[in-house]
Each structure stands twice: as C-alpha cells, then as structure tokens.
Amino acid sequence: MAKCHRNNIGSLILDRAPSTSSSSTSGNHFRLWSTFSRSTFRRKIVDAVSCGGSSRYRHELREEDDEGSYVTVTAKSTVASKDAKANTIGAALNGVAFEEKSKKSEKLCDLLNLAEVEADVETKKKEEALEVLKRVVRELQSAAAARGDNDDVEDYRKKLTAASEVRLLAKEDSEARVTLAMLGAIPPLVSMIDDSRIVDAQIDSLYALLNLGIGNDTNKAAIVKAGAVHKMLKLIESPNAPDQEIAEAVVANFLGLSALDSNKPIIGSSGAIIFLVKTLQNLDETSSSQAREDALRALYNLSIYQPNVSFILETDLITYLLNTLGDMEVSERILAILSNLVAVPEGRKAISLVCDAFPVLVDVLNWTDSPGCQEKATYILMLMAHKGYGDRQAMIEAGIESALLELTLLGSALAQKRASRILECLRVDKGKQVLDSTGSCGALSAPIYGTRDNGLDHEENDLMMSEERKAVKQLVQQSLQSNMKRIVKRANLPQDFVPSEHFKSLSLSSTSKSLPF
C-alpha cells in the first residue's frame, strides 16, 4: 500500500516560488517541479490509477513543512465511508431477508388456501355423491312401496333405472356398497327378483345384489337374511324356462354368497346344490363356460361345510367329477371338492362305489406336471386307504404301488410324505394276506423270546420269521413286476413283451432294502 500512496496523483510535489519583487502584482505562484520526465509522469499516473485512484482510496495531501519535510494528511472520511457502506450492506441484507420471509409466508398461505380449497371441493363431491345415492335408494323404495297398487309405467321405469344405477355405482366403489346398504337398498332389490314382468329389472337387481356383496361380508349376510336365496330358486324353478342370462346371474350370486361361512348352511339346505349340479353338468347345453366354472367354485365353497355333503351325495356329482377329472383346467378344483367329500364316511363310501374310481385317481398320481393335483389325489387315497380295507385292495388292483414308488422319488415333499403313508398301509395288508394264506397268525409283530407262556418254541419262532421274510420278499417281487408292467404300458411296448432274464434275476435277488419305507 505504501507504493500506491507514493504514486498517488495527490502526492505530486508543488513548489511555491518566492516573489522577486514585493511590488509584483502577480503575487506568489506555483509551478510543477520538473524532477521527472514526461514518460515518468505518465507511468506514475497509470500506477496511481491501477492502485485504485480516487475510486478506492481517498487522496492524500502532502504538504511541505517549514523544515522541508512532508506531512501526509489522510482524510477521516475513509472511516465514515466504510461505516456507511457497512450500514448500507446490512440494510440491504436485512431487506433481502425480510423479502424472502415475506415470500415464504406468501407461499405457505397459498398452500394452506389451496389445501382448504381442495378439501372443500372434496367435501362437495362427497356430498353430491351422497345425494345421488340417497336419490337412487328413495326411487327404489318408493317403487317397491307402490308395487301392489298397479304402479304406472313411470314408476316402473324409475325402479328399473334405479336398479341399473345401483348396479353401476356398486361395481367398483367399496364405499358406495357400504353406503347403499346402510341407506336400505338391499330389501327393495331383493323384492324385484321375483317380479317377472320385465326381465331387465330382474337381471339388473340380481347383478346389483352381486356387486353389493363383493368384498363385503356384512352385505352378503344381509342379502341372505332378506330372503334372496329362496327368491332366486323360485325364479329358477318357475314353469317357464328362465332366461340364460338370469340363470348365470343366479349362479354368480350363489358363488359370492357361499363364500361366507354363515351362509353355507342356508344355501346348502335350500336346494341350490341341485341347481348348481345341473348347471355344471350342462345336460341341456345352455350353460356358458363361465356359468359352469362359477357353479363348480360354488359347489366347492358349499362342500367345505360338512353337513352339506349329504345334500351333495343326493346328486350324481361324484360320478360326474370323476369322469371329468381328465380335464386339466378344472381337475385341481374337482380334486379339491373330492378332498372335502372324503373327509366324512358317507363321502368315502360314495367314492368307492363309483366304477373305476381308483384307476382314475391312481392315474392322477402320474401327472408330474401338476404337483397340486398329485398332492390332492394322494390325500384322497391316503384317507381311503387308512379307513377301509376293501379300498386298499381296490387300490392294489389298480396298480397304485408303482405309482406311489415313483411319487416317493419324484413328487413334491407333501406328495412324497402321503405316498409313503399309503405304502405303509398296503405293506401291512400284504403281510397279513401272506401269513393268513399259510395258516399262520395274522399279526406281524415279532415273537417274544425267552418265554414259555406263548406256546412257541425256538423252532416255531424261526418258522415264523422265515414266513415273514417270504412275505416281504413276495411283496418286493410283486412291486417290481407291477412297476415293469406299468413301464411297458407307458412305453407303448407290445402287450406280450417279456422281461429279460437279467431283470428276472434282479427281481429274484432283491431284498426288502429296495422298499422306500
């Protein structure tokens, strides 16, 4: 900074020359001291300007004192100028901060106002929607009240329009379903079911009830309580053949209503099962594929409630299901129904009485591409094998052993477990058969050694053990032969195919270690 101060323009040396004559009129005058050349003077001016000049620093005045020295006087205004600048900057910053705070406050107010406006709009929409629902229910109730007094065409049109509106409003809006039911829309809709004057009114009322029950157990219970099930059956059983669309709507309603456990006994005992079985069988070829699928699912829901099994057994549903079991699209659902039926003794007996029931079920065990069907089929066979000796014999005759042995190796974990249990039941039966055929005791338990009370000496015990070994060996040979026959059948080989001597030697030399249990 010292250099800049020395090069300041204000530091140029001025010479006050004394007057040569006291009477001179010119008085004292100043002249520039020519101590440096023009280039030097120009350079000093440039240096002074580059160091800030008068724009950044205040001029310093140098005055020569009486002794020839120079005193540099610095203007006090520099400090005042700095303070003024600081105050100006502070005021500016304060102004900016205040302005920013004002803008933020304005934005917050705008957001609050916008939220309030949106809330008002939403409230207004809900109020308008509620008014629409109230109007629709009023029209339904007024039309139902005027029904017995020869209501005119206008009232009937209002009823039809209201039922159609309920159908649309309740289709995808869960809140509308709750509100419509609370306003009392269900009873007038149920009363429209058996009004046979206009088919469209029946269809709209049925589908309106169906939509009201979607995902709402309270509404499902209220629909059944209002008497919808009996009115639907009355509509179906009328002398005049019902319209196909009406029948499909009734089936869809039975499917939705049967999903609620409290409705299962009411629907099952009402006679709806007979109608659902007829729809499933489609004997008159009028049911659509969707109606048949809905009927099958409704029957599954109803079969979960065990007292309904007796109503199912009054039809020929089991025979139809077993004959349709090859259809892969519905096989798993069919097996699910049979799994519910086999849980009661009457159901097991009905299944065992069906011709070729066990060959059909055994064939399902080989469906490696459908683990779910395999698991359900093994469940059915496991219960029947555990409960009935005659059923086990029928399973053996159907060739279940080879299928079970294959399933214990290739099936899912659950199917393997169930297959092993079935094999265990069959093994006990075969051991008993062999022992009974030799005149020995039917029990397979090992004899108690070291006692004389059992009436058997050591030779008899050895004979018993040898007979048991023979029984196990015979069981192994039969299992291997049955496996070979099944492999030949699946490979489409000639029926007179004779196994090689090597295979026979393997079967003769096999031991019980080859069994999977």
Side-chain angles (χ1 to χ4, degrees):
M1 297 297 292
K3 179 180 179 182
C4 290
H5 292 165
R6 286 195 302 269
N7 292 337
N8 198 302
I9 296 175
S11 65
L12 296 176
I13 300 175
L14 299 176
D15 179 56
R16 185 173 61 183
S19 176
T20 56
S21 174
S22 60
S23 61
S24 175
T25 60
S26 59
N28 294 336
H29 65 276
F30 294 91
R31 65 183 178 85
L32 183 65
W33 192 268
S34 59
T35 59
F36 45 82
S37 61
R38 291 181 179 178
S39 59
T40 304
F41 177 73
R42 189 183 300 111
R43 185 169 60 254
K44 288 184 177 294
I45 292 176
V46 172
D47 292 340
V49 173
S50 64
C51 287
S54 59
S55 61
R56 295 183 61 185
Y57 303 98
R58 301 295 298 173
H59 290 292
E60 294 179 356
L61 301 177
R62 290 187 177 181
E63 297 180 352
E64 182 180 0
D65 57 6
D66 296 336
E67 296 177 356
S69 62
Y70 296 92
V71 179
T72 303
V73 181
T74 304
K76 294 182 179 180
S77 61
T78 303
V79 177
S81 176
K82 290 182 179 180
D83 294 338
K85 288 182 179 180
N87 293 333
T88 303
I89 294 173
L93 292 176
N94 292 333
V96 172
F98 178 76
E99 186 177 357
E100 290 180 354
K101 289 182 179 179
S102 300
K103 289 182 178 180
K104 290 182 179 179
S105 300
E106 291 177 359
K107 289 182 178 180
L108 181 59
C109 292
D110 293 340
L111 291 175
L112 292 176
N113 293 333
L114 180 60
E116 186 177 355
V117 171
E118 290 179 352
D120 293 339
V121 172
E122 188 69 20
T123 303
K124 188 176 181 180
K125 287 183 178 179
K126 289 184 178 180
E127 291 177 354
E128 292 175 353
L130 180 60
E131 290 299 324
V132 172
L133 298 179
K134 288 181 178 180
R135 176 187 58 79
V136 171
V137 175
R138 280 197 304 268
E139 292 178 357
L140 278 174
Q141 292 173 343
S142 62
R147 179 180 170 188
D149 300 330
N150 296 323
D151 48 332
D152 55 12
V153 178
E154 186 65 25
D155 290 337
Y156 210 82
R157 287 179 179 175
K158 288 183 179 180
K159 181 195 299 186
L160 180 60
T161 303
S164 179
E165 285 189 68
V166 173
R167 175 182 177 180
L168 294 176
L169 291 171
K171 185 175 182 179
E172 296 179 355
D173 191 348
S174 58
E175 294 183 359
R177 296 171 197 147
V178 176
T179 306
L180 286 168
M182 292 177 63
L183 293 173
I186 292 177
L189 287 172
V190 172
S191 66
M192 293 174 61
I193 294 177
D194 54 357
D195 191 350
S196 59
R197 287 174 293 178
I198 298 181
V199 176
D200 291 339
Q202 294 175 325
I203 295 174
D204 285 336
S205 63
L206 287 170
Y207 279 108
L209 292 171
L210 175 66
N211 292 342
L212 285 173
I214 296 176
N216 193 312
D217 291 344
T218 304
N219 289 356
K220 290 176 182 177
I223 292 171
V224 173
K225 188 177 181 180
V229 174
H230 297 284
K231 287 182 178 293
M232 291 178 190
L233 290 176
K234 184 179 178 181
L235 178 62
I236 292 299
E237 296 170 356
S238 60
N240 298 327
D243 186 84
Q244 181 179 355
E245 192 172 358
I246 291 179
E248 292 179 358
V250 172
V251 173
N253 270 277
F254 281 148
L255 171 59
L257 297 175
S258 63
L260 184 63
D261 289 341
S262 61
N263 289 343
K264 287 179 173 64
I266 300 174
I267 299 175
S269 60
S270 66
I273 291 177
I274 298 176
F275 164 68
L276 293 172
V277 172
K278 289 181 179 179
T279 303
L280 177 62
Q281 292 176 346
N282 192 24
L283 298 178
D284 52 0
E285 297 182 356
T286 58
S287 302
S288 63
S289 59
Q290 183 64 47
R292 296 178 62 195
E293 182 179 352
D294 290 345
L296 185 64
R297 295 169 62 189
L299 288 169
Y300 168 74
N301 289 341
L302 295 174
S303 66
I304 295 175
Y305 183 65
Q306 288 190 359
N308 285 339
V309 174
S310 59
F311 300 111
I312 294 176
L313 296 180
E314 294 176 0
T315 66
D316 57 347
L317 177 62
I318 294 180
T319 303
Y320 174 79
L321 294 179
L322 290 172
N323 293 334
T324 317
L325 197 53
D327 188 355
M328 296 300 295
E329 294 182 359
V330 295
S331 291
E332 190 163 357
R333 184 73 63 182
I334 289 174
L335 291 169
I337 296 175
L338 294 175
S339 298
N340 293 333
L341 299 180
V342 80
V344 298
E346 297 83 359
R348 293 192 294 271
K349 183 178 179 181
I351 293 175
S352 62
L353 293 176
V354 176
C355 182
D356 295 333
F358 291 107
V360 171
L361 293 172
V362 168
D363 185 62
V364 177
L365 301 180
N366 299 310
W367 295 357
T368 56
D369 55 342
S370 181
C373 290
Q374 288 181 326
E375 292 172 358
K376 291 178 175 62
T378 51
Y379 175 77
I380 297 170
L381 293 169
M382 181 181 66
L383 288 183
M384 300 190 72
H386 179 69
K387 299 293 183 179
Y389 174 78
D391 293 338
R392 292 195 288 268
Q393 296 301 312
M395 293 177 194
I396 295 174
E397 293 175 1
I400 192 175
E401 292 171 311
S402 59
L404 293 175
L405 289 172
E406 183 177 352
L407 196 60
T408 54
L409 299 176
L410 304 177
S412 64
L414 183 58
Q416 290 179 3
K417 184 177 180 180
R418 291 173 176 174
S420 298
R421 290 185 177 180
I422 299 173
L423 283 171
E424 190 173 349
C425 293
L426 300 180
R427 180 190 63 179
V428 173
D429 276 351
K430 280 201 171 184
K432 288 182 179 180
Q433 289 178 6
V434 173
L435 292 178
D436 291 341
S437 63
T438 58
S440 302
C441 180
L444 285 177
S445 58
I448 302 176
Y449 293 96
T451 61
R452 297 183 178 273
D453 296 335
N454 55 7
L456 297 175
D457 54 12
H458 291 291
E459 294 181 359
E460 291 176 346
N461 289 334
D462 294 339
L463 179 61
M464 176 68 72
M465 294 299 294
S466 63
E467 293 295 340
E468 289 182 358
R469 294 192 186 95
K470 289 180 181 179
V472 173
K473 185 177 181 180
Q474 184 179 359
L475 175 62
V476 173
Q477 291 178 357
Q478 289 178 356
S479 177
L480 291 173
Q481 291 174 3
S482 178
N483 280 337
M484 189 60 190
K485 290 179 181 179
R486 194 167 189 83
I487 293 172
V488 169
K489 183 178 179 180
R490 293 177 64 181
N492 294 325
L493 295 175
Q495 295 296 328
D496 56 351
F497 175 78
V498 179
S500 63
E501 294 297 330
H502 178 65
F503 176 79
K504 291 182 179 179
S505 62
L506 287 176
S507 62
L508 292 175
S509 60
S510 299
T511 64
S512 60
K513 293 182 180 179
S514 62
L515 293 176
F517 47 80

